[in-house]
Amino acid sequence: MISPMIHTFKSINVEYEELSRVLGHGFISTFLRISLPLARRGILISFLIGFMKAFSDFGATVMVAGIIIGKTATLPSMIYLQINSGDIEQGLALILLLLLVSLFTNSVMRVWGYR
Amino acid sequence: MEIGLLIKDLMAQIGSFKLFIEELSVYRGEIVSVIGPNGSGKTTLLKTIAGLLKPLQGEIHINGELVYKSHRNKVLINIPPEKRVVGYLPQNYLLFPHMTVWDNIAYPLRAHGSDKRIIEERVQELIDLLNLRGLEKKRVNELSGGQAQRVALARALASKPKILLLDEPFSNIDQESRESIRRWLKEIIENIRITTLIVSHDPSDRILSNRVIYMRNGIIINIE
């Protein structure tokens, strides 16, 4: 999440920020009025990438925190638990939910990325 | 006549390129063109005056106020760009893409915490002056080259700057429209009587000005 955000800020044309200074705005005002709005798309995409990574995490969660329902269980670990315990219906429902959230997040990222 | 811009013993460096101006003075309200080929130091000179580039040595006075002075590598005075009250029109206009035409013009006024009513009056005044009526709510990416230039000029003039710096103002305008826009720009600048430095690589832009400075390799080679 941090890496795309750094890339976003680095990709802003520094001349906009320089011009803002010449037009009378100080460093903080320039950051709030120019840098941040110009980076907003990249910031949102970075958040979505971070969200998707956390939302779909399996290995690290199981290794470090285990699968405690309502506390440490993530959606993929719940799918694993349900399928393993033979509750295929609930497992498939959770897979569908994961798929819908992933599709929605990816669509938002694509729309914002191409704008 | 009062001096609008005075530069003495100025030396600035970007990489291996060096700019050296022994002395340059521009009277208040005077329009001066700086003509030279690419890489002659014209934009470096403008950026130095605007405060975007810190010189190695020298003095810069704007309307009698010392805005930069350094001596033997020691900076004695360096007023930051936001406090120099300079109007700057960059070569590619650099209109803020996330703002409307109105917000772009109002941008410098918001820096000074001006009253909302004063901002509205000043923006409206500039919209009338530069014939931008009807474009106020447009996003800047919807503008033509000529419209974008007028918005950028309105923004540069909004805070009633002490000096106006124009960097290649006609480079994005097609050859056919240049002549009429040159005449129009000259009229606008003469009417508001502002000290103006116009930088260009095109010698035909000299008709805009009272005096012409020719630059090459970072130094002034001739003044007409």
Side-chain angles (χ1 to χ4, degrees), chain A residues 13 15-27 29-31 33-35 37-38 40, chain B residues 47 50 52 80-82 86 88 90 92-99 107-108 110-111 155-156:
Chain A
N13 184 353
E15 287 181 307
Y16 284 121
E17 293 162 329
E18 287 181 348
L19 182 66
S20 168
R21 300 283 308 276
V22 177
L23 295 174
H25 288 262
F27 180 77
S29 178
T30 295
F31 178 75
R33 290 170 187 264
I34 302 296
S35 317
L38 288 180
R40 69 189 190 284
Chain B
K47 286 194 167 186
L52 295 173
E82 62 267 27
V86 165
Y88 187 44
N92 41 2
Y93 311 141
L94 291 174
L95 294 175
F96 301 126
H98 57 294
M99 295 182 193
Y107 189 74
R110 292 193 168 123
R155 183 181 60 182

Side-chain angles (χ1 to χ4, degrees), chain B residues 132-149:
Chain B
L132 291 166
R133 212 171 292 165
L135 301 176
E136 297 92 329
K137 287 180 181 164
K138 281 207 172 187
R139 308 293 290 192
V140 297
N141 56 7
E142 296 170 46
L143 303 175
S144 68
Q147 288 169 337
Q149 189 200 39

Side-chain angles (χ1 to χ4, degrees), chain A residues 6-113:
Chain A
I6 290 171
H7 177 75
T8 298
F9 278 102
K10 276 190 176 170
S11 66
I12 295 174
N13 184 353
V14 74
E15 287 181 307
Y16 284 121
E17 293 162 329
E18 287 181 348
L19 182 66
S20 168
R21 300 283 308 276
V22 177
L23 295 174
H25 288 262
F27 180 77
I28 294 171
S29 178
T30 295
F31 178 75
L32 294 174
R33 290 170 187 264
I34 302 296
S35 317
L36 213 52
L38 288 180
R40 69 189 190 284
R41 198 168 300 155
I43 292 170
L44 180 83
I45 288 173
S46 304
F47 271 114
L48 288 177
I49 290 171
F51 168 74
M52 278 311 292
K53 177 76 188 123
F55 189 71
S56 61
D57 191 67
F58 178 75
T61 317
V62 172
M63 288 288 287
V64 177
I67 310 173
I68 306 167
I69 298 168
K71 280 192 176 170
T72 62
T74 57
L75 202 54
S77 63
M78 280 301 289
I79 292 168
Y80 170 77
L81 207 66
Q82 300 297 342
I83 301 283
N84 241 7
S85 62
D87 194 346
I88 305 292
E89 265 183 34
Q90 267 209 23
L92 285 174
L94 291 175
I95 288 171
L96 187 66
L97 179 65
L98 184 66
L99 190 70
L100 288 174
V101 174
S102 305
L103 282 173
F104 174 74
T105 320
N106 270 298
S107 307
V108 172
M109 277 165 59
R110 277 183 175 271
V111 169
W112 274 77

Side-chain angles (χ1 to χ4, degrees), chain B residues 206-224:
Chain B
R206 66 182 185 273
I207 58 152
L208 281 164
S209 50
N210 312 113
R211 259 194 309 156
V212 186
I213 290 167
Y214 292 95
M215 283 187 76
R216 192 176 284 264
N217 299 327
I219 55 166
I220 294 174
I221 54 166
N222 194 17
I223 300 178
E224 275 178 8

Side-chain angles (χ1 to χ4, degrees), chain B residues 1-182:
Chain B
M1 272 179 105
E2 284 181 83
I3 300 285
L5 172 72
L6 177 65
I7 293 174
K8 277 184 189 172
D9 296 322
L10 184 85
M11 188 189 278
Q13 188 169 9
I14 302 180
S16 59
F17 177 79
K18 275 186 183 164
L19 171 79
F20 183 69
I21 307 283
E22 201 177 324
E23 187 166 331
L24 170 65
S25 56
V26 180
Y27 296 114
R28 275 199 202 187
E30 190 184 17
I31 306 171
V32 169
S33 291
V34 181
I35 309 280
N38 290 336
S40 57
K42 309 180 302 287
T43 301
T44 308
L45 174 64
L46 291 195
K47 286 194 167 186
T48 310
I49 297 166
L52 295 173
L53 187 70
K54 201 164 85 177
L56 299 171
Q57 66 166 60
E59 283 179 31
I60 302 171
H61 303 249
I62 298 175
N63 274 6
E65 186 193 358
L66 185 60
V67 295
Y68 183 84
K69 183 174 183 171
S70 71
H71 184 65
R72 289 183 185 167
N73 290 335
K74 194 176 173 192
V75 178
L76 303 170
I77 293 171
N78 186 17
I79 306 240
E82 62 267 27
K83 300 242 165 78
R84 294 193 184 189
V85 199
V86 165
Y88 187 44
L89 189 141
Q91 189 173 357
N92 41 2
Y93 311 141
L94 291 174
L95 294 175
F96 301 126
H98 57 294
M99 295 182 193
T100 61
V101 166
W102 177 281
D103 289 332
N104 263 279
I105 300 172
Y107 189 74
L109 301 165
R110 292 193 168 123
H112 307 295
S114 303
D115 187 67
K116 200 179 165 190
R117 191 180 53 80
I118 294 171
I119 293 177
E120 278 177 11
E121 278 175 12
R122 179 69 180 146
V123 174
Q124 198 53 55
E125 190 185 329
L126 288 160
I127 280 173
D128 293 340
L129 178 74
L130 295 166
N131 197 18
L132 291 166
R133 212 171 292 165
L135 301 176
E136 297 92 329
K137 287 180 181 164
K138 281 207 172 187
R139 308 293 290 192
V140 297
N141 56 7
E142 296 170 46
L143 303 175
S144 68
Q147 288 169 337
Q149 189 200 39
R150 280 184 280 148
V151 175
L153 184 62
R155 183 181 60 182
L157 293 170
S159 58
K160 296 185 178 167
K162 295 173 184 169
I163 184 166
L164 181 62
L165 309 173
L166 308 178
D167 191 358
E168 304 273 5
F170 310 107
S171 60
N172 293 327
I173 307 283
D174 58 85
Q175 204 66 42
E176 291 163 13
S177 323
R178 266 186 201 187
E179 200 49 50
S180 61
I181 292 177
R182 262 194 209 114

